[in-house]
Amino acid sequence: METVRFCDTLNFDDGSIEIKYKGVPLREDSNENEVRRMLRDFVDNHKHDDMLENVTILRTIFRDYMEVSLDVYFCDKNGSEFVQYDKSQPLFSFKKVYKMFDGYNTKEVTVEYNTKDGISLNYSHSDMTIVFPNKRSTVTKEIDNIMQYIDTLLTEVKAITLNDDDKALIEIYKLFYKEDPDFSSKDINVKVQTMMSILAGFNVTLDCDYSFSLMTKLKMPVSLKLEEMVKKMYPFAVVSEVEDNVKLAEEPKKIIEIVGDSVRDAIHDEEDINETLITISKVIHASRYNLSSDADISEIAEFTNRSVDDVEASVQLVKCIEHKINKEN
């Protein structure tokens, strides 16, 4: 197959990012248009000041290609960073410019590295350039940290792989919403958080250790672990198929379908889907964990900052779901 090229650039107020990639498709059905869409989304909507994360996300976006070369350049008011991978050479190059306070003055430091010449450092306000051989140096902690960082970029930054918990979350989402999850969507975290919080009220959980706490102002149950999982899967965008899929047990699978069908039926306006999901999630969590078992509708409404009518509707929905689940059993 022929080499495919992808390029994208974004200039903003105090900096820019530029990405160049060449790769050979590993599959005949690789979706080039979707890859270009995700690359554009990453450039436009994601932060870029972490080069390790940049390369990880990009290699995940390009996971259906055999990498030939990858160049990433980023700069802002704090400095700049450039990495280049060229497997046709083979070559790895790195350059970083940043500011360092030495106790007296703020100096600009330029670090350069390539696999042929090793590493060099240049300090501003000085004619001195220190060149180290192409092996890790422990002369100073600073140099050692730089070399560890370069080693990570060179050898350890790979495309993200999905573990069993990730795959289970995807399967639960498909059953609950009857659609494929789009991890690049701005609404995905709310949809995952509310889904798993609602399902927890019916004793359906993932195997991994996660818990919900209330966001201070919204009093919406949020799991940082789930948020990390959702963030990690961002470069996968729309997930329709998963290799080595996780099979859910029949009992929780049936509960997920019952709860999902009931919740979707309760949403009458697609524009209000997030607010409806949040209300149901808040009411279930508050009733189960925050208030006494005999709390009435007005108490739940006051605690969740939702209207009495909305709380009443959510409480009746929960009772309806419980009835359907009991009927199945």
Side-chain angles (χ1 to χ4, degrees):
M1 295 187 184
E2 293 185 359
T3 300
V4 181
R5 291 171 171 79
F6 299 88
C7 300
D8 220 324
T9 304
L10 176 68
N11 295 305
F12 42 92
D13 289 344
D14 59 356
S16 65
I17 182 167
E18 181 177 359
I19 297 164
K20 296 179 181 178
Y21 180 89
K22 289 193 293 185
V24 178
L26 296 172
R27 299 164 32 181
E28 291 186 0
D29 62 344
S30 59
N31 191 335
E32 185 178 322
N33 289 334
E34 175 63 12
V35 172
R36 293 190 186 280
R37 184 193 74 80
M38 271 306 300
L39 177 59
R40 186 72 245 175
D41 185 272
F42 170 70
V43 168
D44 285 346
N45 301 315
H46 210 278
K47 68 182 184 69
H48 308 104
D49 57 353
D50 184 336
M51 189 58 74
L52 295 175
E53 186 176 82
N54 289 341
V55 177
T56 299
I57 289 175
L58 289 168
R59 283 183 166 164
T60 306
I61 291 174
F62 297 121
R63 62 192 177 278
D64 289 335
Y65 294 80
M66 180 178 67
E67 183 179 304
V68 176
S69 65
L70 171 63
D71 298 2
V72 186
Y73 172 78
F74 172 74
C75 69
D76 63 9
K77 62 183 179 181
N78 298 314
S80 64
E81 192 167 355
F82 171 76
V83 292
Q84 179 183 51
Y85 301 87
D86 192 336
K87 295 182 179 178
S88 63
Q89 297 292 328
L91 173 71
F92 171 75
S93 298
F94 170 85
K95 182 177 180 179
K96 183 171 184 174
V97 179
Y98 65 98
K99 297 177 177 64
M100 184 182 71
F101 183 67
D102 63 3
Y104 301 96
N105 300 297
T106 298
K107 296 182 178 180
E108 187 175 87
V109 182
T110 302
V111 183
E112 293 188 74
Y113 174 91
N114 65 64
T115 47
K116 179 182 177 181
D117 301 320
I119 185 171
S120 67
L121 280 83
N122 181 273
Y123 290 83
S124 62
H125 310 302
S126 171
D127 294 331
M128 178 179 64
T129 300
I130 309 169
V131 181
F132 296 91
N134 191 18
K135 289 186 178 180
R136 174 167 299 187
S137 170
T138 56
V139 176
T140 66
K141 183 178 179 180
E142 180 186 350
I143 303 302
D144 191 51
N145 288 340
I146 291 171
M147 286 306 296
Q148 286 183 38
Y149 180 68
I150 293 172
D151 282 347
T152 301
L153 278 168
L154 180 56
T155 62
E156 297 180 21
V157 187
K158 297 177 174 62
I160 297 165
T161 56
L162 300 178
N163 59 36
D164 285 348
D165 291 320
D166 301 326
K167 295 175 182 179
L169 181 63
I170 290 169
E171 288 307 301
I172 291 171
Y173 187 101
K174 289 182 177 183
L175 285 171
F176 190 94
Y177 289 110
K178 292 294 188 283
E179 65 183 25
D180 296 330
D182 179 0
F183 289 99
S184 65
S185 166
K186 62 181 178 61
D187 297 323
I188 189 64
N189 188 51
V190 170
K191 294 184 76 172
V192 168
Q193 296 282 353
T194 53
M195 174 186 74
M196 294 308 298
S197 174
I198 291 168
L199 288 174
F202 301 95
N203 300 315
V204 175
T205 61
L206 294 170
D207 289 336
C208 61
D209 183 21
Y210 67 98
S211 59
F212 290 94
S213 58
L214 295 180
M215 287 178 60
T216 306
K217 293 182 179 179
L218 294 179
K219 289 188 178 177
M220 171 186 166
V222 171
S223 164
L224 294 179
K225 173 66 176 178
L226 287 176
E227 192 169 329
E228 289 174 5
M229 292 172 68
V230 169
K231 181 181 177 182
K232 181 182 79 171
M233 289 189 277
Y234 160 78
F236 287 90
V238 179
V239 180
S240 55
E241 295 181 9
V242 175
E243 189 175 349
D244 299 323
N245 193 18
V246 169
K247 300 296 183 183
L248 302 175
E250 284 304 315
E251 184 177 351
K253 184 176 176 180
K254 192 62 183 177
I255 293 174
I256 294 165
E257 289 182 319
I258 291 173
V259 177
D261 290 346
S262 300
V263 168
R264 293 196 317 278
D265 287 344
I267 299 172
H268 305 296
D269 189 344
E270 285 297 317
E271 292 183 1
D272 297 330
I273 182 171
N274 285 352
E275 285 302 309
T276 303
L277 288 167
I278 290 170
T279 298
I280 299 169
S281 172
K282 289 170 71 171
V283 168
I284 291 176
H285 192 276
S287 302
R288 189 169 187 178
Y289 299 106
N290 304 116
L291 301 173
S292 64
S293 58
D294 59 350
D296 60 25
I297 298 298
S298 60
E299 288 177 287
I300 300 173
E302 182 179 0
F303 183 86
T304 58
N305 196 26
R306 283 322 202 224
S307 71
V308 170
D309 288 344
D310 286 343
V311 171
E312 176 67 35
S314 295
V315 169
Q316 291 304 316
L317 176 64
V318 170
K319 290 179 179 179
C320 178
I321 293 172
E322 288 174 342
H323 175 73
K324 289 179 181 178
I325 293 173
N326 292 332
K327 189 177 180 180
E328 285 291 327
N329 295 331

